[in-house]
Amino acid sequence: MAMPIRQSLRLGGYLMKQKLLRREKYPLLVELEPLFACNLKCGGCGKIQQPAALLKQRMPVEQAVGAIEESGAPMVSIAGGEPLMHPQIDEIVRQLLARNKIIFLCTNALLLPKHLHKFTPHRNFAWMVHIDGLRERHDESVRKAGGFDAAVAAIKQAKDAGFRVMTNTTFFTQDSPQDVIDVLDYLNDEVGVHNMQISPGYAYEKAPDQEHWLGVQQTRELFKKAFADGRRKRWRLNHSPVFLDFLEGKLDLKCTAWGIPSYSLLGWQRPCYLLDDGYVATYRELIEDTDWDSFGRGNDPRCANCMAHCGYEPTAVIATMGSLKETIRAAVT
């Protein structure tokens, strides 16, 4: 799974506990959005389309930590918006780490050099830097010249300071299998990030760019060709082998959006951060009052082309942990 063995054991223990408690739905990771404001206007993201008054708001530390404790999730992905624009983001991270949560802080890295001194390397903390292709492709995606060079420089600075650094790359119809290979080779071999995450572009309805979402067959063809000749085994991908099999069409999975719920200034988003069917105040309401079977490919037309990690990686992780064969395959991959 390319996840540190200690974190893998932690997740395995958590899943075993849910099974013993006979819980059918539980969070593996919470997408925490303590703000919607951002310093970029990326074509594939619509967070800054929120009303101006909402873009000025910042989630209080107590609210952010309380939501995570309420859910009981062992892992938290702090996103936004740009989290480093939150004046107390370092305090949110410290308090969650004190509660033994595994934290991924997602950032475009433009503000990272300015704020790096506020953080301390920790075994349960990693920077998750968005890199959407090599220089020209990335700068086009984030709509900022120099964005790629700034992000790579920040990654190297964070690594030199002793932090664990990961990347997240989204691919769209403009990307070829060779583009996938080139950026993953670069991040893996030249930049030397600790792990990489990948995702097909998903139809986020508020995104400015609505023309370049990948369909299911396009996604499968893209990754099948990119992963050919055993290449995926060379890369330090932070995904289960089952999810990677899913991306290239070797198997199909059912969406389990409840596995990665989203909490923001508006509350718990139903059913996931890609769809907006309203918000509820508590995690219990989200789980108990959402008709989860009505979502996913084949159930909701909005989900027809979705193969995003928020819905399908939880399915893959649960399948992996529930199979000795897949657990061994994940451990040796």
Side-chain angles (χ1 to χ4, degrees):
M1 198 179 299
M3 183 184 292
I5 185 63
R6 177 182 43 77
Q7 292 184 9
S8 297
L9 292 173
R10 167 84 180 282
L11 186 56
Y14 172 80
L15 291 173
M16 180 60 70
K17 178 180 178 181
Q18 307 314 304
K19 186 173 182 179
L20 292 174
L21 292 173
R22 297 185 179 181
R23 289 177 180 158
E24 294 184 0
K25 295 179 175 63
Y26 44 84
L28 300 182
L29 175 147
V30 169
E31 293 273 2
L32 175 65
E33 298 177 318
L35 79 171
F36 290 123
C38 190
N39 54 344
L40 287 177
K41 298 179 180 180
C42 300
C45 176
K47 296 298 182 179
I48 61 171
Q49 305 299 321
Q50 296 288 352
L54 188 56
L55 291 176
K56 294 178 181 178
Q57 293 183 31
R58 305 292 183 263
M59 186 181 293
V61 174
E62 297 77 12
Q63 181 181 344
V65 174
I68 302 305
E69 289 199 302
E70 177 195 6
S71 74
M75 301 188 292
V76 184
S77 176
I78 305 177
E82 170 51 57
L84 290 177
M85 292 177 64
H86 193 298
Q88 294 177 293
I89 192 62
D90 53 321
E91 183 61 24
I92 292 175
V93 168
R94 276 193 291 272
Q95 291 206 23
L96 290 175
L97 289 174
R99 289 161 173 79
N100 200 30
K101 303 299 181 181
I102 297 170
I103 309 298
F104 308 99
L105 203 162
C106 304
T107 176
N108 57 47
L110 297 183
L111 297 175
L112 186 52
K114 179 181 178 181
H115 295 282
L116 189 63
H117 70 281
K118 300 178 182 179
F119 299 84
T120 302
H122 190 285
R123 65 181 185 175
N124 285 335
F125 176 79
W127 297 101
M128 179 75 76
V129 179
H130 298 280
I131 298 289
D132 284 342
L134 295 180
R135 183 176 290 106
E136 181 178 351
R137 180 72 187 89
H138 176 86
D139 288 359
E140 174 192 15
S141 178
V142 304
R143 301 184 175 184
K144 181 177 178 60
F148 177 82
D149 290 335
V152 170
I155 288 173
K156 293 178 179 179
Q157 182 180 347
K159 284 184 58 189
D160 290 344
F163 288 92
R164 181 176 180 80
V165 183
M166 303 169 63
T167 55
N168 185 26
T169 303
T170 304
F171 296 102
F172 298 88
T173 57
Q174 305 103 306
D175 297 303
S176 69
Q178 191 60 50
D179 291 329
V180 178
I181 294 167
D182 288 345
V183 69
L184 294 183
D185 276 349
Y186 177 75
L187 294 171
N188 192 86
D189 302 335
E190 296 189 42
V191 182
V193 297
H194 294 86
N195 290 113
M196 299 172 289
Q197 289 190 178
I198 57 178
S199 183
Y202 32 77
Y204 187 64
E205 63 181 6
K206 291 184 179 181
D209 183 355
Q210 292 290 322
E211 299 179 6
H212 297 103
W213 307 122
L214 287 165
V216 170
Q217 194 55 41
Q218 288 175 298
T219 296
R220 290 170 175 168
E221 288 298 318
L222 177 68
F223 289 109
K224 182 179 180 180
K225 293 176 180 177
F227 292 164
D229 301 323
R231 275 186 292 264
R232 86 181 206 192
K233 295 181 180 180
R234 293 199 317 103
W235 297 320
R236 292 183 294 278
L237 296 173
N238 191 51
H239 295 290
S240 65
V242 172
F243 180 71
L244 297 177
D245 287 346
F246 166 72
L247 285 184
E248 60 175 306
K250 290 182 177 179
L251 53 82
D252 204 1
L253 296 173
K254 182 180 178 181
C255 174
T256 50
W258 47 262
I260 302 184
S262 177
Y263 183 77
S264 72
L265 290 164
L266 297 172
W268 293 98
Q269 186 169 339
R270 180 185 287 148
C272 66
Y273 79 96
L274 298 178
L275 297 182
D276 186 354
D277 281 10
Y279 297 81
V280 294
T282 68
Y283 174 74
R284 183 173 180 176
E285 287 179 87
L286 175 73
I287 294 300
E288 295 183 357
D289 297 342
T290 302
D291 181 9
W292 297 101
D293 291 334
S294 67
F295 300 103
R297 284 189 287 115
N299 298 319
D300 188 317
R302 296 172 298 175
C303 305
N305 288 316
C306 181
M307 295 180 71
H309 70 280
C310 62
Y312 295 98
E313 182 72 273
T315 318
V317 169
I318 293 169
T320 298
M321 296 299 183
S323 164
L324 178 60
K325 177 182 176 180
E326 291 299 338
T327 299
I328 294 173
R329 184 162 76 113
V332 301
T333 298

